[in-house]
């Protein structure tokens, strides 16, 4: 049997919001947005259709090309997702220190 060196192993209560939105491009976003005390208060945002997840905070939304890369979106779709997530993702809070 393989031995593992655990860097951490914990259980936490989280809050997940499931939302489906459609922008002007008619791109449908089925998202699971999980709030956790990990990741310095950033959220786990999962595109349920594509199965892609990213840790996202306000700084990530400002990173040029980040949403396009992570979720394989074109520029218009990424702009719509950014507009939605800007209202959802709050300021970073350092709760896991």
């Amino acid at each position: 049997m393989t031995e593992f060196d655990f860097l951490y192993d914990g259980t936490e209560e989280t809050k997940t919001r499931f939302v489906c939105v459609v922008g002007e491009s008619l791109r449908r976003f089925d998202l699971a947005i999980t709030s956790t005390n990990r990741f310095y208060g950033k959220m786990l945002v999962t595109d349920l259709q594509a199965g892609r997840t990213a840790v996202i905070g306000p700084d990530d939304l400002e990173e040029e090309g980040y949403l396009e890369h992570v979720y394989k979106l074109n520029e218009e779709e990424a702009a719509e997702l950014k507009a939605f997530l800007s209202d959802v993702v709050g300021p970073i809070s350092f709760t896991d220190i």
Side-chain angles (χ1 to χ4, degrees):
M1 183 169 183
T2 303
E3 289 188 33
F4 294 97
D5 291 328
F6 286 87
L7 300 179
Y8 62 84
D9 180 8
T11 303
E12 172 188 349
E13 292 288 325
T14 62
K15 181 178 170 187
T16 302
R17 174 183 176 188
F18 294 93
V19 62
C20 178
V21 295
V22 177
E24 290 180 15
S25 70
L26 300 180
R27 169 66 155 82
R28 176 178 166 164
F29 294 99
D30 289 296
L31 304 172
I33 303 166
T34 302
S35 301
T36 174
N37 289 326
R38 299 234 176 228
F39 312 117
Y40 301 104
K42 293 184 178 188
M43 297 184 176
L44 292 171
V45 180
T46 302
D47 176 343
L48 296 171
Q49 291 182 9
R52 292 185 178 91
T53 301
V55 178
I56 295 182
D59 57 328
D60 301 302
L61 295 178
E62 297 306 318
E63 184 75 29
E64 187 176 329
Y66 182 72
L67 294 177
E68 289 92 332
H69 172 73
V70 170
Y71 296 110
K72 309 296 183 216
L73 303 173
N74 65 39
E75 194 172 314
E76 181 183 14
E77 294 166 340
E80 291 176 350
L81 182 58
K82 178 183 176 181
F84 172 74
L85 290 176
S86 293
D87 291 336
V88 175
V89 175
I92 296 174
S93 60
F94 297 96
T95 57
D96 63 342
I97 294 178

